[in-house]
Every structure is written in C-alpha cells, then in structure tokens.
Amino acid sequence: ICLNSFINFNEFDLFLKSIFQLRFFLLIVFIQIFSSFFIKNIKYFFLGNLIIVTLVIIDLFIQYKTGTNLLGYKPQLSNLRFTGIFNEEMVAGSFIFSFGLLGLSFFLIKEKFNTFFLFLLLFSFGIILSGDRSPLLMIFLLVFFNIIFNETLRKYFLLYTVVLFVVVISMTLLTEKSYDRYFKDIMQIINKSQPVFETEYWHNNKERKDLIEMLEKNPNDNELQEKLSKNEKYFQFLTQLENAEKNANNNIFKKSFFIFSNTIYGAHYLTAVEIIKNNKFFGSGIRTFRTECLKYENKILSFNRDDGCSTHPHNLHLEIISEVGIVGYFIFFILLIILFYYVILKKNPKIYTKTLSIYLLSLLFAHLFPFKPSGSIFSTWFGSQIWLIIAINYLFIIKDKQKI
C-alpha cells in the first residue's frame, strides 16, 4: 500500500486515503497481539452479533408488514428495498449476512447445530425481505462451500439447501414485492440495457439531418459542428456494437457476455479492464477508479458506456487489480492461499475447531466470489467485513486449541 501510494502520488487527499488503508492491516495485528483475550471472549462478540441482527430482522419485518419500521422509516426504491433502521442506506441485507452469519459461530462453538440452522434460516428470511440480491446469492455460495469442505455440517447444509429453495421460490412466487425485486426487476434491468438498433439509428439519422440543415444556415457555428462530430462518432459506435452483436449470436457464451457488457455493471467492469491495461503492475492508485474512469468513457464497447464511471467497479477483484495492480493482487492472493491451506488442507492442531474454521472461511469465500457484484474492498463498510473475517480466521490458526 505504501509503495503504491508513492508511485501514484498525484493528490495529497488520495495519498492520505491510501495510507489510511493500513487500518485493516492494523486490525489483524491488533487481534493477533491480544489473541488470548479475544480467544477467551470471542463467543460474546458472536452472541452480541446474534442479538443485534435478530432485532434488526424484527424491525425489518415490521417495516415489511406495516410500511414503516419502529422509527417511522419507510422502504426505498418504490417499496422494493426494505432497509429497517438503516433508513436510506440500503445495506440491511449485507449487514445481516456479514454480522448475523458471523454471529452464528456462537452455536458452532457450543456445538448446537440444530439451533445454528434455525437461526441461519431466520437470517436468510431477513435477507430475502430486505430485497438485497447479492447477500442472497452469497448465502447459496456459503452453502455450496460447506457442502464441499465441511464434513461435520454437510448433511445439515444439504437439508438446509432444500428448505432454502422452497422458501425463496415460495416468497418469489407468492409475494408481489419479492417477485418484483428478484425476477421482474432483473428482467427489466437486462431488457432496458440492450440496444434497439433500429430505434437508435433512426434517432441518430434524424439528429444528423437536423444538424446539417442548421449548419447550412449557420456554417460557422462551432457548437453545431461539435454536435455533428459527436453524432458521427456515435454512428460509428453503433456500427461497432451491432457488429459485436452479430458476431456473438452464434455462440452462447459470447452472447451472454454481450448482454452483460451492455448493463451498468458490465460498463463498470469493461472500464476497470481498460484501466488495468494501462496500469498493469502497480495500478492507478487506491480509490482512484472514480477519477480514472473518466478517461475511458468513450473507449469501452457497451451500450451503457456513459455509466461506466462510479466510485468503484463493483467487483473487488477488478478493483484490486485496477487500483494496486498485479503486484498488490498477488500479495492479497497469497494471503488467501495461506489461509485456505491451513484451514482446508493442513491438519494443524493449532486450529481450534475444523468445523468453525471452515465455516468462517466459507463466509470469506462468499464475499470474494469473483462472479458477483460487490462493494469496495477499500471502503470502511465493505472492507471491514472482509478483513474482520480474515483476522478471526488467522486468530484460530495461530493459536493452540483452547476452550472458548
């Protein structure tokens, strides 16, 4: 981080933000230094998470049924997103996943597996109510990881998978709000993001004719000339996009990529790739996507190229590579490989319990799965969730077996 900050030293404000990222490293160090204290008391941390998240879900359910929560806050996005105590911040689902499912470790410590899965079902219900799609996907990723690697909990997760499918399908089909959010809204996003070439060409041609007529009357008008130039460039862009669609029609993978690339997320990803091409080894600098993306607005082949800019690319792997380069991503990847090795592959007596460690690793896997949208790993909210899980994982790895 320090090396990256000096290499990409452009603005002092961004430099300070880069150095401030060391707080996540210091979190891990702090937990390891006071590991004895944390080992003895971490069950209370897990229990506290359980209580807080349960109260959040109760408040969320009240908002879902009555239209307002206990504080009088209303849902967001035309009643498609239920936020509870978070009001305008649409983070209820991710909060339940990150802190509620981390809190479930309390039941694994006590080896109360039936209670563990009852609360897991409750928290899954809360995530579905929130309308937050990404945490729901992460639930399925967590289940998949545990079925593969967690022998102790495998049979429980297999049964839970069946129950979860029934709950998701029932709520999606039987409740209008869930159906609109988890099916109808997704289809609308995809359909609206795809170009209708006949319509686009018609508008482009009409605009060009109007501009030419106006230029004949005012041949020295620089503003009109500039608009005509943009019109011609847009026509070339449409031609490229149409050719790309034709080339993709005979291949399901190319077709899927073409459809996705025209969505807003696709535009973010393509922009991140362009940044990576010009900043391969050390990236463009931490939290610089929001400014670097402006350079590539007209260089990506996406119908939503005007939406290619954002605060971050909404994929943490592309974010890491674009902002700290291959070198930074390699260091991060090695950290994960070491973690995976000690938890899954090595029979290490220092791990308190294999079941708990694998479950904690599954939380990390769900966060880091590459083929889903994500928050910014360099932000306090999303970054703290990931680094806290990493810190707790390493806490159990480096310590001898102790009674928690």
Side-chain angles (χ1 to χ4, degrees):
I1 289 174
C2 293
L3 178 62
N4 178 272
S5 301
F6 283 108
I7 290 174
N8 295 290
F9 185 85
N10 296 317
E11 297 180 25
F12 187 69
D13 181 51
L14 291 176
F15 174 76
L16 288 179
K17 288 182 179 179
S18 298
I19 295 299
F20 192 55
Q21 298 300 317
L22 290 172
R23 68 191 187 278
F24 296 126
F25 173 74
L26 294 176
L27 171 66
I28 297 177
V29 173
F30 179 78
I31 289 178
Q32 308 314 318
I33 291 175
F34 297 97
S35 57
S36 297
F37 171 81
F38 282 107
I39 283 288
K40 292 178 181 178
N41 296 282
I42 198 167
K43 62 183 177 184
Y44 301 113
F45 169 71
F46 292 147
L47 181 59
N49 282 357
L50 282 176
I51 294 171
I52 292 171
V53 173
T54 300
L55 294 174
V56 167
I57 292 175
I58 293 172
D59 184 70
L60 200 66
F61 182 72
I62 292 171
Q63 187 183 59
Y64 184 87
K65 295 298 292 184
T66 66
T68 58
N69 78 330
L70 293 174
L71 298 176
Y73 298 150
K74 295 181 179 180
Q76 303 296 311
L77 293 182
S78 301
N79 293 334
L80 289 180
R81 295 292 296 271
F82 292 86
T83 56
I85 62 171
F86 298 102
N87 197 10
E88 295 180 357
E89 297 292 328
M90 295 180 286
V91 297
S94 59
F95 179 83
I96 294 169
F97 181 89
S98 297
F99 297 100
L101 271 66
L102 184 62
L104 290 178
S105 302
F106 176 81
F107 297 119
L108 296 182
I109 292 172
K110 299 295 184 179
E111 297 186 353
K112 296 181 178 181
F113 299 142
N114 291 328
T115 309
F116 169 90
F117 280 96
L118 284 174
F119 271 83
L120 178 58
L121 189 60
L122 171 66
F123 292 166
S124 301
F125 177 73
I127 289 172
I128 296 171
L129 282 185
S130 74
D132 200 342
R133 292 187 291 248
S134 186
L136 182 58
L137 172 61
M138 291 164 69
I139 287 281
F140 284 103
L141 293 171
L142 176 141
V143 169
F144 171 78
F145 189 93
N146 279 280
I147 288 175
I148 299 298
F149 296 109
N150 208 330
E151 294 182 11
T152 305
L153 297 179
R154 183 174 296 153
K155 62 180 181 180
Y156 294 96
F157 272 108
L158 285 170
L159 177 60
Y160 171 77
T161 303
V162 176
V163 176
L164 182 61
F165 267 112
V166 172
V167 171
V168 171
I169 293 172
S170 298
M171 288 192 65
T172 303
L173 295 179
L174 299 179
T175 61
E176 183 179 356
K177 295 173 184 176
S178 296
Y179 174 80
D180 287 346
R181 178 61 182 166
Y182 291 103
F183 181 76
K184 188 176 178 180
D185 190 45
I186 293 175
M187 297 308 299
Q188 286 179 346
I189 290 172
I190 294 174
N191 292 333
K192 287 181 179 179
S193 65
Q194 302 309 306
V196 180
F197 289 105
E198 289 184 4
T199 303
E200 292 299 318
Y201 278 126
W202 185 87
H203 284 294
N204 181 261
N205 187 50
K206 185 179 183 302
E207 182 187 46
R208 182 165 60 253
K209 288 180 179 178
D210 292 340
L211 287 170
I212 291 173
E213 287 180 6
M214 286 187 284
L215 273 171
E216 288 175 352
K217 298 176 182 178
N218 303 283
N220 297 320
D221 192 320
N222 293 331
E223 186 178 346
L224 289 175
Q225 290 176 355
E226 185 178 345
K227 287 182 178 179
L228 183 60
S229 176
K230 288 183 179 179
N231 177 276
E232 291 172 352
K233 289 179 181 178
Y234 186 69
F235 176 80
Q236 294 172 1
F237 166 73
L238 283 176
T239 304
Q240 285 182 294
L241 200 61
E242 187 178 30
N243 290 334
E245 183 187 46
K246 290 177 180 177
N247 293 332
N249 281 336
N250 296 325
N251 186 305
I252 188 171
F253 297 106
K254 289 183 178 180
K255 183 66 175 179
S256 299
F257 177 79
F258 177 81
I259 291 172
F260 176 74
S261 66
N262 287 315
T263 64
I264 293 177
Y265 285 128
H268 294 334
Y269 292 6
L270 291 175
T271 302
V273 170
E274 291 299 319
I275 294 174
I276 291 169
K277 288 179 181 178
N278 293 315
N279 304 273
K280 295 183 181 69
F281 295 105
F282 296 102
S284 61
I286 291 175
R287 305 196 74 174
T288 58
F289 182 85
R290 66 194 69 196
T291 54
E292 286 292 310
C293 61
L294 297 171
K295 302 175 183 178
Y296 304 95
E297 282 184 317
N298 296 318
K299 294 184 179 181
I300 62 171
L301 194 60
S302 170
F303 188 59
N304 273 295
R305 63 180 183 173
D306 292 338
D307 295 313
C309 261
S310 183
T311 53
H312 60 93
H314 292 83
N315 181 287
L316 65 88
H317 297 276
L318 290 176
E319 181 184 22
I320 294 171
I321 301 174
S322 66
E323 296 192 354
V324 297
I326 296 173
V327 174
Y329 186 76
F330 178 75
I331 295 171
F332 181 70
F333 189 74
I334 290 297
L335 181 71
L336 299 179
I337 290 296
I338 294 172
L339 193 58
F340 184 86
Y341 171 74
Y342 274 98
V343 174
I344 303 294
L345 300 179
K346 188 174 182 180
K347 294 181 179 180
N348 193 331
K350 292 183 179 180
I351 298 178
Y352 167 71
T353 166
K354 197 79 168 177
T355 302
L356 176 58
S357 296
I358 293 174
Y359 172 71
L360 289 171
L361 192 62
S362 73
L363 287 172
L364 189 61
F365 169 75
H367 275 294
L368 300 180
F369 186 73
F371 304 111
K372 72 171 186 64
S374 68
S376 171
I377 193 171
F378 299 120
S379 69
T380 301
W381 171 252
F382 186 73
S384 62
Q385 298 172 28
I386 292 176
W387 291 108
L388 178 62
I389 295 171
I390 291 175
I392 293 175
N393 266 291
Y394 272 102
L395 175 66
F396 289 118
I397 287 175
I398 67 171
K399 295 301 295 179
D400 295 324
K401 290 183 179 180
Q402 294 184 26
K403 185 176 181 181
I404 296 182

